[in-house]
Amino acid sequence: MTVVTTGAILAGGRSTRFGDADKSVARIAGVPMVRRVADRLAGTDDPVPPGADRASGGDAVVDELAVNCRPDQRDAIAEALSGVPLPVRWAIDEEPDLGPLAGIGNACRAATEPYAAVVACDMPFVDPAFLAAMRETVAESGAEAAVPRLEDRWYQTTQAVYAAESAAEACQRALDRGDRKVLALVDQVDAVVVDDEAIRSLTAELTFTNVNTRPELDEAERAVAAAADAA
Ligand SMILES: Nc1nc2c(ncn2[C@@H]2O[C@H](COP(=O)(O)OP(=O)(O)OP(=O)(O)O)[C@@H](O)[C@H]2O)c(=O)[nH]1
């Protein structure tokens, strides 16, 4: 499988819907969510529910990780990522709470590879083959990003592939003019929209499942347990 370069994991949010804990290190069947994302990218993952497209285990689709978080999150996330067979770069927010746009910008700035496959830490069933396909789209088209958009939903800016330098600059430009909306990034880069039809030909909607609440965590845990039983 083609290597898609830097895997940029976003974990700098406050997890307010999750309650009094950082969801990035909340465990699903014993494995912290951020670790599940890293393992998907590294090809060292546990069984995943049907619909996560690529079966568990496989080749790494990135050759390094860039992890964006606040300074106070770093130790717990580092522990969660301990043993991941990829170099980990840290993209620590100097100023917290500027939103996902700032997180994407910081992660892209920390990337040492030309492309960044961005994934939010709360997407435990991300399909690495989908990221690889988007990386190919960006490289072949000469565009600066491939951003999925399901019909009747927002752009999935937190599971997308960006030309790292262009995206970092675009995020900074938006922040400098006081725009924190993540859509500013899509406006500011030459983006290929990966539409509904393309998404369905490449992967399944499960790739976008994100865990915001405790009940959603429980649901993800049940799905993982069922997959493990079936394996
Ligand atoms: N660096 C940074 N990342 C953020 C920020 N807000 C959200 N994110 C990240 O953006 C992604 C999508 O955000 P949400 O799913 O809303 O996560 P969240 O903000 O932690 O959760 P809620 O507080 O419940 O909305 C997650 O990976 C977050 O970690 C922020 O202010 N700074």
Coordinates of all heavy atoms in Angstrom, one line a residue, residues 9-19 22-24 68-70 73 91 93 95-104 106 119-122 158 210-212, ligand 1:
I9 N -2.8 13.5 14.0 CA -3.9 13.2 14.9 C -4.3 14.4 15.7 O -3.4 15.0 16.4 CB -3.6 12.0 15.8 CG1 -3.2 10.8 15.0 CG2 -4.7 11.7 16.7 CD1 -2.8 9.6 15.8
L10 N -5.6 14.8 15.7 CA -6.0 16.0 16.4 C -6.6 15.6 17.7 O -7.6 14.8 17.8 CB -7.1 16.7 15.6 CG -6.8 17.0 14.1 CD1 -8.1 17.6 13.5 CD2 -5.6 18.0 14.0
A11 N -6.1 16.1 18.8 CA -6.6 15.8 20.1 C -6.7 17.0 21.1 O -6.8 16.8 22.3 CB -5.7 14.7 20.7
G12 N -6.6 18.2 20.5 CA -6.6 19.4 21.4 C -7.9 19.9 21.9 O -7.9 21.0 22.5
G13 N -9.0 19.2 21.6 CA -10.3 19.7 22.1 C -10.5 19.5 23.6 O -9.7 18.8 24.2
R14 N -11.6 20.0 24.1 CA -11.9 19.9 25.5 C -12.8 18.8 25.9 O -13.2 18.6 27.1 CB -12.5 21.2 26.0 CG -11.5 22.4 26.0 CD -10.6 22.4 27.2 NE -9.6 23.5 27.1 CZ -8.7 23.7 28.0 NH1 -8.5 22.9 29.0 NH2 -7.8 24.7 27.8
S15 N -13.3 18.0 24.9 CA -14.2 16.9 25.2 C -15.4 17.3 26.1 O -15.7 16.5 27.0 CB -13.4 15.7 25.8 OG -12.2 15.5 25.2
T16 N -16.0 18.4 25.8 CA -17.0 18.9 26.8 C -18.2 17.9 26.8 O -18.8 17.7 27.8 CB -17.5 20.3 26.5 OG1 -17.8 20.4 25.1 CG2 -16.4 21.3 26.8
R17 N -18.6 17.3 25.6 CA -19.7 16.5 25.6 C -19.4 15.1 26.3 O -20.3 14.3 26.5 CB -20.2 16.2 24.2 CG -20.9 17.4 23.6 CD -21.1 17.3 22.1 NE -19.8 17.5 21.4 CZ -19.6 17.3 20.1 NH1 -20.6 16.9 19.3 NH2 -18.4 17.6 19.5
F18 N -18.2 14.9 26.5 CA -17.8 13.6 27.0 C -17.8 13.6 28.6 O -17.8 12.5 29.2 CB -16.3 13.2 26.6 CG -16.0 11.8 26.7 CD1 -16.6 10.8 25.9 CD2 -15.0 11.4 27.6 CE1 -16.3 9.5 26.1 CE2 -14.7 10.1 27.8 CZ -15.4 9.1 27.0
G19 N -17.9 14.7 29.1 CA -17.9 14.8 30.6 C -16.5 15.2 31.1 O -15.7 15.8 30.5
D22 N -10.7 13.4 29.3 CA -10.2 13.7 28.0 C -10.6 12.5 27.1 O -10.0 11.4 27.3 CB -8.7 13.9 28.0 CG -8.2 14.2 26.7 OD1 -8.9 14.2 25.7 OD2 -6.9 14.5 26.6
K23 N -11.4 12.7 26.1 CA -11.9 11.5 25.4 C -10.7 10.9 24.6 O -10.8 9.7 24.3 CB -13.0 11.8 24.4 CG -12.7 12.8 23.3 CD -14.0 13.1 22.5 CE -13.7 14.2 21.5 NZ -14.9 14.5 20.7
S24 N -9.7 11.6 24.3 CA -8.6 11.1 23.5 C -8.0 9.8 24.1 O -7.5 8.9 23.4 CB -7.5 12.1 23.2 OG -6.8 12.4 24.3
N68 N -1.4 16.5 17.7 CA -1.7 17.9 18.2 C -2.5 17.8 19.5 O -3.6 17.1 19.6 CB -2.5 18.6 17.1 CG -3.2 19.9 17.7 OD1 -4.4 20.1 17.8 ND2 -2.3 20.9 18.1
C69 N -2.1 18.5 20.5 CA -2.8 18.5 21.8 C -2.3 19.7 22.6 O -1.4 20.4 22.2 CB -2.6 17.2 22.6 SG -0.9 16.9 23.1
R70 N -2.9 19.9 23.8 CA -2.4 21.0 24.7 C -1.3 20.4 25.5 O -1.1 19.2 25.6 CB -3.5 21.4 25.6 CG -4.7 22.0 24.9 CD -5.8 22.5 26.0 NE -6.1 21.5 26.9 CZ -7.0 20.5 26.7 NH1 -7.7 20.5 25.6 NH2 -7.2 19.6 27.6
Q73 N -2.1 17.7 28.1 CA -2.5 16.4 27.6 C -1.4 15.4 27.2 O -1.5 14.2 27.1 CB -3.4 16.5 26.4 CG -4.7 17.3 26.6 CD -5.4 17.5 25.2 OE1 -5.0 18.3 24.4 NE2 -6.4 16.7 25.0
A91 N 2.8 18.3 18.2 CA 2.4 19.6 17.7 C 1.6 20.2 18.9 O 0.4 20.0 18.9 CB 1.5 19.4 16.4
D93 N -0.2 22.9 21.1 CA -0.8 24.2 21.0 C -0.1 25.2 21.9 O -0.1 25.0 23.2 CB -2.3 24.2 21.3 CG -3.1 23.4 20.3 OD1 -2.6 23.3 19.1 OD2 -4.3 23.1 20.5
E95 N -1.3 28.2 22.1 CA -2.5 28.9 22.6 C -3.6 27.8 22.5 O -3.9 27.4 21.4 CB -2.8 30.1 21.8 CG -3.9 30.9 22.5 CD -4.2 32.2 21.7 OE1 -3.4 32.6 20.8 OE2 -5.2 32.8 21.9
P96 N -4.2 27.5 23.6 CA -5.3 26.4 23.5 C -6.6 27.0 23.0 O -6.8 28.2 23.0 CB -5.4 25.9 25.0 CG -5.0 27.1 25.8 CD -4.0 27.9 25.0
D97 N -7.5 26.1 22.7 CA -8.9 26.5 22.5 C -9.2 27.4 21.3 O -10.1 28.1 21.3 CB -9.5 27.2 23.8 CG -9.3 26.3 25.0 OD1 -9.4 25.1 24.9 OD2 -9.1 26.9 26.1
L98 N -8.3 27.3 20.3 CA -8.5 28.1 19.1 C -9.3 27.3 18.1 O -9.5 27.7 16.9 CB -7.2 28.6 18.5 CG -6.5 29.6 19.3 CD1 -5.2 30.0 18.6 CD2 -7.3 30.9 19.5
G99 N -9.7 26.1 18.5 CA -10.5 25.3 17.6 C -9.8 24.3 16.7 O -8.5 24.4 16.6
P100 N -10.5 23.4 16.0 CA -9.8 22.4 15.1 C -9.0 23.0 14.0 O -8.0 22.4 13.6 CB -11.0 21.6 14.5 CG -12.2 21.9 15.4 CD -11.9 23.2 16.1
L101 N -9.4 24.2 13.6 CA -8.6 24.9 12.5 C -7.1 25.1 13.0 O -6.2 24.8 12.2 CB -9.2 26.2 12.1 CG -8.5 27.0 11.1 CD1 -8.7 26.4 9.7 CD2 -9.0 28.4 11.0
A102 N -7.0 25.5 14.2 CA -5.7 25.8 14.7 C -5.0 24.4 14.9 O -3.7 24.3 14.7 CB -5.8 26.5 16.1
G103 N -5.7 23.4 15.4 CA -5.1 22.1 15.5 C -4.6 21.5 14.2 O -3.5 21.0 14.2
I104 N -5.4 21.7 13.2 CA -5.0 21.2 11.9 C -3.7 21.9 11.4 O -2.7 21.3 10.9 CB -6.1 21.3 10.8 CG1 -7.3 20.4 11.2 CG2 -5.6 21.0 9.4 CD1 -8.5 20.6 10.3
N106 N -1.4 23.4 13.3 CA -0.3 23.1 14.1 C 0.3 21.7 13.7 O 1.5 21.5 13.6 CB -0.6 23.1 15.6 CG -0.6 24.6 16.1 OD1 -0.1 25.5 15.4 ND2 -1.2 24.8 17.2
V119 N -6.6 13.1 11.0 CA -7.7 12.3 11.6 C -7.9 12.8 13.0 O -7.0 13.0 13.8 CB -7.3 10.8 11.7 CG1 -8.6 10.0 12.2 CG2 -6.8 10.3 10.4
A120 N -9.2 13.1 13.4 CA -9.5 13.4 14.8 C -9.3 12.2 15.7 O -9.5 11.0 15.2 CB -10.9 13.9 14.9
C121 N -8.9 12.5 16.9 CA -8.6 11.4 17.8 C -9.8 10.5 18.2 O -9.7 9.4 18.7 CB -8.0 11.9 19.1 SG -9.2 12.9 20.0
D122 N -11.0 11.1 17.9 CA -12.2 10.4 18.3 C -12.8 9.6 17.1 O -14.0 9.4 17.1 CB -13.2 11.4 18.9 CG -13.6 12.4 17.9 OD1 -13.1 12.4 16.8 OD2 -14.5 13.3 18.3
T158 N -11.8 17.0 9.4 CA -11.0 16.3 10.4 C -10.7 14.9 10.0 O -10.3 14.1 10.8 CB -11.5 16.4 11.8 OG1 -12.9 15.9 11.8 CG2 -11.6 17.9 12.3
N210 N -17.6 9.2 14.9 CA -16.8 9.8 16.0 C -17.5 9.7 17.3 O -18.7 9.6 17.4 CB -16.4 11.2 15.6 CG -17.5 12.2 15.6 OD1 -18.6 11.8 15.4 ND2 -17.2 13.5 15.8
V211 N -16.7 9.7 18.3 CA -17.2 9.4 19.7 C -17.1 10.7 20.5 O -16.0 11.2 20.8 CB -16.3 8.3 20.3 CG1 -16.7 8.1 21.8 CG2 -16.4 7.0 19.6
N212 N -18.3 11.2 20.8 CA -18.3 12.5 21.5 C -18.9 12.3 22.9 O -18.6 13.2 23.8 CB -19.2 13.5 20.8 CG -18.6 13.9 19.5 OD1 -17.5 14.3 19.4 ND2 -19.4 13.8 18.4
Ligands
LIG1 N1 -6.0 22.0 18.9 C1 -7.3 22.1 19.0 N2 -8.1 21.0 18.6 C2 -9.4 21.1 18.8 C3 -10.0 22.1 19.5 N3 -11.4 21.9 19.5 C4 -11.6 20.7 19.0 N4 -10.4 20.2 18.5 C5 -10.2 18.9 17.9 O1 -11.0 18.8 16.8 C6 -11.6 17.6 16.6 C7 -13.1 17.7 16.5 O2 -13.6 18.3 17.7 P1 -14.8 17.7 18.6 O3 -15.2 16.4 18.1 O4 -15.8 18.8 18.7 O5 -14.0 17.5 19.9 P2 -14.0 18.4 21.2 O6 -14.0 19.8 20.9 O7 -12.9 17.9 22.1 O8 -15.4 17.9 21.9 P3 -16.6 18.8 22.5 O9 -16.0 19.7 23.5 O10 -17.5 17.8 23.1 O11 -17.1 19.5 21.3 C8 -11.1 16.7 17.8 O12 -10.1 15.9 17.3 C9 -10.7 17.7 18.8 O13 -9.6 17.2 19.6 C10 -9.2 23.2 19.9 O14 -9.7 24.2 20.5 N5 -7.9 23.1 19.7

